[in-house]
Amino acid sequence: MKKFLEVLSNIWKIEELRGRIIVTLGLLVVYRFGAQVVLPGIDTAQLAGLADSTGTDQGILGILNAFTGGAFANASVFALGIMPYISASIVVQLMGIAIPYLQKLQKEGESGRKTINQITRWLTIGICIVQAPAYLYSLSALGVPDSAFLLGKGLNFIIPSVIILVTGCVFAMWLGEKITDKGIGNGISLLIMIGIIATMPQSFVQEFVSRTTNNTGGLMFMLIEVIIWFVVILASVLLVMAQRQIPVQYARRTASGGYEKNIMGSRQYIPLKLNASGVMPIIFAQAIMFVPGLLGKTFNDTAVGQWMEVQFQDIFGLAYNILFGLLIIIFTYFYTAITVPTNKMADDLKRSGGFIPGIRPGKETGDFLDKIMSLITLPGSVFLALLAVLPAVVVKLMDIQAGWALFYGGTSLLIMVGVAIDTVQQVNSYLLNRHYDGLMKTGKNRKVA
């Protein structure tokens, strides 16, 4: 404890780091405040139906509510959250594979990155313009009574509300970018994480009350749940940090007696992450999981349609999670293939005079790196799939409340772990640059080889 307090004191002594942390906390408070501001024209006392309909038993709606920190169920000005920006970023990234103009921008360095960011912002606004009216018109279907709309559901309510929702999303995007520029950590990721954490205390209290009042294990069972949760967090940290280090040798040219010769330089490593795709496969798979349930509703006059509607509406069901896990494995390979350019890595290595011992530079190096990535992606994808379906496992085996179970895996836990590790690494870099001890015992985050 004394060591921890000393580290906090060292953080406060670094003026730049102190300022960045204060800015980050201040902007996060602004975001959380905005999540509580309800759209004009909606009676806040009648939003209970919406909160109930966005529970975890409603699948993606519950996840959206968790990502927005309850803003979705509050009909808040930040109801769309930061997800339209995430969607736009994914679309631009995928379009970069097929559109030569975007490929050219990706190679132009800082100027190209700024142009891509601007395209992403405009696409975010376009997505918001589509999503905002859909959200407003779906409020009644989600449980909000007509009497809650004080101005009715005409254009005099829809048009101002769409403008407010779009502005709220753009403002949240601006907050995230300002945190990245002026604060500490990745701003967009921090906004998502703070939204997820905001729902954690309520979920934990609900689980605690359920265990104690229903006499289903009491405090002892809660202790077991917390221990298992910490073990899952440890496994998630290992998944995020694990990497395969490929040794690289660099040749140095030196002149001696009028002749130039190559001598071996220092050995370095290419770190290939076990889970190079992060949480994106889970997000892709979660989006696709809409389809079976939708098809079931469309063809519910048939036995197959009725079966699909029942099975794929339950996010904790067996059929849902088997398909969910398989999609995560497939998308992990897909996303890794498009985001880890092994051929480009091999070309850059060759141009810089580096080589992998025993492997010819150029195409053979690219093939070797691609083979290694394929080998390590298999256990990484399986581990990611198991982590994603773990909430369903603990619900069925341990009878844990659905809201608390979502923190045992999936997108929520991986985002929290990934953002926490990234933020700690940035704080560590400030401390170590000022010759202070870092947040970790060894002064750096260890990598799992």
Side-chain angles (χ1 to χ4, degrees), residues 11 16 85-87 122 168 199 375:
I11 291 175
E16 181 183 0
Y85 179 79
I86 301 296
S87 302
W122 282 110
T199 62
L375 291 174

Side-chain angles (χ1 to χ4, degrees), residues 51-233:
D52 292 340
S53 68
T54 52
T56 52
D57 59 327
Q58 297 297 319
I60 193 67
L61 296 180
I63 294 174
L64 288 174
N65 191 49
F67 281 2
T68 58
F72 189 90
N74 289 340
S76 161
V77 296
F78 285 162
L80 300 182
I82 201 66
M83 297 310 294
Y85 179 79
I86 301 296
S87 302
S89 300
I90 294 172
V91 170
V92 171
Q93 192 172 22
L94 294 177
M95 288 171 60
I97 304 172
I99 299 179
Y101 175 68
L102 293 177
Q103 294 175 352
K104 179 182 176 182
L105 290 176
Q106 291 173 351
K107 298 177 181 178
E108 290 182 356
E110 184 66 20
S111 61
R113 186 182 65 82
K114 289 181 178 180
T115 304
I116 290 177
N117 287 342
Q118 196 63 24
I119 294 173
T120 305
R121 295 187 186 107
W122 282 110
L123 183 58
T124 300
I125 295 176
I127 293 175
C128 286
I129 292 174
V130 174
Q131 287 187 352
Y135 170 76
L136 293 171
Y137 280 113
S138 67
L139 287 176
S140 296
L142 292 174
V144 178
D146 291 341
S147 58
F149 299 93
L150 303 178
L151 302 177
K153 291 187 288 187
L155 292 180
N156 60 333
F157 167 73
I158 296 296
I159 292 178
S161 296
V162 167
I163 294 174
I164 292 173
L165 288 172
V166 174
T167 304
C169 179
V170 172
F171 182 65
M173 178 178 65
W174 179 83
L175 287 175
E177 292 180 349
K178 284 302 177 184
I179 291 175
T180 302
D181 293 339
K182 306 294 185 182
I184 194 79
N186 182 287
I188 301 298
S189 299
L190 280 171
L191 292 182
I192 297 176
M193 187 187 75
I194 202 67
I196 295 172
I197 291 177
T199 62
M200 184 186 295
Q202 180 182 0
S203 300
F204 181 81
V205 170
Q206 289 176 349
E207 174 67 12
F208 178 78
V209 171
S210 175
R211 290 293 178 189
T212 54
T213 57
N214 297 332
N215 195 24
T216 54
L219 291 176
M220 182 57 67
F221 207 88
M222 280 298 302
L223 180 60
I224 295 174
E225 289 182 12
V226 172
I227 292 174
I228 295 175
W229 184 52
F230 278 116
V231 172
V232 174
I233 291 176

Side-chain angles (χ1 to χ4, degrees), residues 246-254 261-271 344-359 361 365 369:
I246 307 299
V248 175
Q249 196 78 38
Y250 286 91
R252 289 188 296 148
R253 301 184 66 86
T254 182
K261 61 180 181 179
N262 291 330
I263 62 173
M264 291 299 131
S266 60
R267 173 168 290 192
Q268 299 181 19
Y269 296 92
I270 298 177
K344 183 176 181 299
M345 292 166 63
D347 291 339
D348 293 342
L349 194 62
K350 183 178 180 180
R351 281 195 295 268
S352 61
F355 63 93
I356 299 174
I359 307 296
T365 297
L369 292 175

Side-chain angles (χ1 to χ4, degrees), residues 7-27:
V7 171
L8 292 181
S9 175
N10 292 337
I11 291 175
W12 192 255
K13 290 177 183 177
I14 303 174
E15 183 177 355
E16 181 183 0
L17 179 57
R18 182 176 70 242
R20 285 181 172 272
I21 291 176
I22 292 174
V23 168
T24 301
L25 294 177
L27 294 179

Side-chain angles (χ1 to χ4, degrees), residues 3 78 157 186 193 367 374 383 385 389 393 435:
K3 180 68 175 178
F78 285 162
F157 167 73
N186 182 287
M193 187 187 75
D367 293 341
S374 298
F383 193 6
V389 302
V393 175
H435 306 290

